[in-house]
Amino acid sequence: MNELHQKTRHITDLILKAACEARKETDADGGYASSGPVKWPVSCTVGPGLEGAIACESKVGYVNGIKGSLIYRGYDVFDLCAYSTFEEVSYLLLFGKLPTASEFDIFKREISRYMAVPATLRLLMSFPIESFNAMAALRMGAHFLRREFSNVDRDDYKSDVENVIGSDEDSIAMETTPRGEKRAIYEFHEKRDKKEAAEDDGRYNPATGYRSCYSLIGGVASMAAAIKRIRERHLPIEPRPDMSHAANLLYMMTGKVPTPEEERIVDVSLILHADHGMNASTFASMVVASTMSDMYFSVGAGIAALNGPLHGGANEQVVNMLNEIGSVDNVKKWFDSAVAEKKKIMGFGHRVYKAYDPRARVLMPLAEYFAKTNTRLSGMFDIAKSLEKEVVNKLGKEKKIFPNVDFYSGILYQSLGIPKEMFTPIFAVSRVSGWTARVMEYLENNRIFRPRAIYSGTFDEKYIPLRERK
Ligand code: COA
């Protein structure tokens, strides 16, 4: 058991309890049978929004929507939350097996190395990021990472980076060091030593392959944290190689070393959001990759798709909705009018799950545990529980609508003081490992995605010149 898990056994206990309850309800259906290798072409019934369509074969992960279970590379996500870490899960998703100790050390070092993204942040900071939507900034940053870590635009890139870091270093305002922290603020002028620079001829890579995955897993976390700081009119903070991914994310956002509890909640949340079948953002990434574009463009497309309120953007909308409801007494009235107006209730429903989302099963007790320490959040948690009851009683029975991953994550993040515009970027920090794993897997036997539309328009229209049109 690693040190973090030892210090946060009570959180492990909450996860195991949630897992035990979930399994009691769902295991009666028996185990799984692997489908084995697919023989193409396959027949399937396709509904609107590609419902039911089979786009590819994958060994990365499996969502059982009837049972309400989630598997990464054969491992139940409940066990991964209880015993693993986000870094280990990222390795598992990318390479298909749990790492040995030495493989894990190398992997962690790579990710942590790529968390240093000075050129990307310098470019980001040349835009008015404080007035950008955080996901828009993150998406733009994915393309700047492409310039920092690949040789795709090499001629332009080389001269730019030298100019940016070299000539301007003295003009970068330095912020006072956060209390208790030394060397915390990003040093844009820090020169890489010769040995690192030599090793790093490998740093200027094609924008595909495992290095691009490492740079995106590391870089998206640093960018998300930096975007939060810039939006709050602070300077970005350098990552600390001695910290875990989750701790670094929190540290780079706040300037404070997180407590083991804070680190663990973020770690569990990152594990839960890392992969989820052929969801919209994963599919968007894969479509882009299938054209033989590159990993940075693919992840940029994933970020763009994730932003929508029907997908990753729902977590922010949940908090808005709970604030709008305002009190437990108002829940029933609010819910009845939402049903009457056929409103989508944020944080509920799923294309695949027709049962309780296993990710919400873990996040709910964690949100409850952390909300207890804060009166405002415990009020919000009570509203959420009461709304869940109303929705499950009515829509659960009628339409199999249950809470999804986004319903409780916002309350949890708020307990850490994370502002709501950062909820979806944090989702992206995690999902980047699923996007990259699935893209790498698909590229082994790539075929460009190219579905068809059924044309329901007219034929034989006669062209009328503009001035004759009524
Ligand atoms: N609140 C109320 N009704 C909902 C609902 C919700 N959150 N989600 C689905 N429904 C209802 C629909 O109105 C529809 O009812 P109808 O058959 O009477 O018309 C039925 O359930 C099927 O919904 P549909 O929108 O076709 O499902 P989908 O598979 O296309 O959409 C989601 C899935 C996730 C986009 C949808 O459930 C949703 O919009 N949820 C809210 C946003 C959210 O939380 N997203 C995060 C997903 S992790």
Side-chain angles (χ1 to χ4, degrees):
M1 192 189 284
N2 78 24
E3 209 188 323
L4 177 65
H5 288 85
Q6 259 164 14
K7 287 184 183 157
T8 54
R9 277 167 193 255
H10 53 299
I11 293 180
T12 309
D13 290 343
L14 287 173
I15 297 166
L16 291 173
K17 188 164 171 246
C20 182
E21 279 162 16
R23 285 170 179 150
K24 241 191 267 162
E25 281 174 35
T26 59
D27 271 5
D29 309 352
Y32 305 105
S34 172
S35 63
V38 175
K39 287 202 184 76
W40 297 94
V42 292
S43 307
C44 54
T45 306
V46 180
L50 291 182
E51 180 172 9
I54 294 166
C56 62
E57 180 184 343
S58 176
K59 293 189 173 69
V60 175
Y62 173 62
V63 183
N64 185 322
I66 305 299
K67 260 169 103 90
S69 70
L70 174 60
I71 308 290
Y72 297 164
R73 298 280 191 186
Y75 295 88
D76 191 322
V77 80
F78 289 139
D79 292 338
L80 294 171
C81 286
Y83 307 119
S84 186
T85 59
F86 175 69
E87 291 91 321
E88 195 177 51
V89 164
S90 299
Y91 185 101
L92 174 69
L93 291 171
L94 273 171
F95 297 106
K97 68 173 195 85
L98 289 172
T100 62
S102 67
E103 286 166 340
F104 192 42
D105 271 358
I106 296 168
F107 181 71
K108 276 199 297 193
R109 234 179 298 133
E110 286 288 353
I111 301 294
S112 143
R113 190 158 88 102
Y114 282 108
M115 281 185 121
V117 290
T120 295
L121 294 188
R122 196 72 187 91
L123 277 171
L124 264 181
M125 290 171 76
S126 64
F127 291 86
I129 291 301
E130 59 283 0
S131 64
F132 275 42
N133 166 286
M135 287 293 276
L138 198 64
R139 184 184 186 210
M140 193 164 73
H143 301 303
F144 296 157
L145 284 178
R146 180 174 183 269
R147 287 174 70 80
E148 182 160 14
F149 292 121
S150 85
N151 59 5
V152 183
D153 301 325
R154 192 166 188 162
D155 288 350
D156 297 341
Y157 165 71
K158 259 198 121 179
S159 53
D160 270 9
V161 170
E162 275 162 17
N163 286 342
V164 161
I165 297 179
S167 68
D168 212 24
E169 63 190 46
D170 290 334
S171 66
I172 297 167
M174 295 301 280
E175 191 183 72
T176 48
T177 309
R179 236 177 302 156
E181 289 304 322
K182 288 185 180 156
R183 290 185 58 254
I185 301 299
Y186 223 100
E187 295 192 30
F188 290 96
H189 57 279
E190 190 182 42
K191 298 266 191 297
R192 284 180 299 132
D193 65 23
K194 282 203 183 109
K195 186 170 164 283
E196 195 189 336
E199 268 174 16
D200 259 3
D201 218 21
R203 192 164 168 133
Y204 301 109
N205 274 290
T208 53
Y210 283 109
R211 275 187 182 274
S212 63
C213 306
Y214 303 157
S215 70
L216 280 154
I217 295 172
V220 169
S222 301
M223 280 194 305
I227 289 164
K228 172 186 180 278
R229 305 239 348 138
I230 298 166
R231 286 171 62 86
E232 292 169 351
R233 310 291 199 274
H234 294 125
L235 281 167
I237 293 177
E238 272 189 284
R240 275 191 26 188
D242 57 314
M243 283 185 179
S244 73
H245 207 70
N248 247 322
L249 179 65
L250 277 171
Y251 170 68
M252 289 189 290
M253 282 198 284
T254 61
K256 282 189 279 180
V257 176
T259 64
E261 255 189 0
E262 291 167 340
E263 177 182 355
R264 184 77 195 279
I265 327 172
V266 173
D267 195 47
V268 169
S269 182
L270 292 179
I271 292 172
L272 286 172
H273 288 82
D275 183 65
H276 207 242
M278 292 295 284
N279 59 86
S281 59
T282 298
F283 189 49
S285 305
M286 291 173 66
V287 169
V288 171
S290 82
T291 68
M292 298 307 279
S293 182
D294 64 53
M295 195 62 89
Y296 298 91
F297 281 141
S298 297
V299 166
I303 293 170
L306 186 69
N307 181 53
L310 296 188
H311 192 9
N315 50 17
E316 191 179 336
Q317 298 307 325
V318 168
V319 168
N320 292 339
M321 176 183 76
L322 297 175
N323 282 331
E324 185 192 311
I325 296 173
S327 71
V328 171
D329 294 342
N330 195 31
V331 168
K332 172 113 184 64
K333 191 166 146 236
W334 186 94
F335 173 70
D336 289 344
S337 84
V339 171
E341 290 168 31
K342 294 192 183 305
K343 251 197 208 166
K344 283 275 175 76
I345 301 166
M346 290 291 133
F348 287 90
H350 200 272
R351 173 63 62 79
V352 182
Y353 290 121
K354 300 302 163 208
Y356 210 107
D357 183 332
R359 302 166 299 171
R361 293 224 192 231
V362 173
L363 291 172
M364 192 278 282
L366 295 186
E368 182 175 30
Y369 177 81
F370 287 98
K372 266 190 220 146
T373 57
N374 177 312
T375 326
R376 191 179 68 79
L377 287 182
S378 79
M380 187 179 268
F381 180 82
D382 292 342
I383 297 171
K385 271 309 270 180
S386 164
L387 180 61
E388 176 187 328
K389 208 169 148 203
E390 294 291 339
V391 177
V392 172
N393 273 345
K394 181 165 175 62
L395 302 179
K397 279 190 196 126
E398 289 171 9
K399 300 184 185 174
K400 304 232 173 289
I401 289 170
F402 296 94
N404 62 45
V405 68
D406 294 309
F407 192 56
Y408 288 105
S409 61
I411 299 179
L412 204 53
Y413 293 147
Q414 286 207 326
S415 74
L416 298 172
I418 297 172
K420 61 184 182 189
E421 66 275 12
M422 292 312 297
F423 298 173
T424 317
I426 293 174
F427 194 153
V429 167
S430 163
R431 186 56 60 84
V432 71
S433 55
W435 293 330
T436 51
R438 289 197 180 248
V439 164
M440 290 301 285
E441 180 188 55
Y442 189 71
L443 288 178
E444 283 172 24
N445 288 302
N446 182 54
R447 190 158 192 231
I448 190 167
F449 282 110
R450 206 317 187 175
R452 293 191 310 163
I454 296 172
Y455 179 68
S456 57
T458 58
F459 293 92
D460 304 327
E461 294 283 352
K462 190 170 175 320
Y463 184 83
I464 302 167
L466 182 58
R467 59 180 180 284
E468 291 168 29
R469 277 177 231 157
K470 294 212 178 101

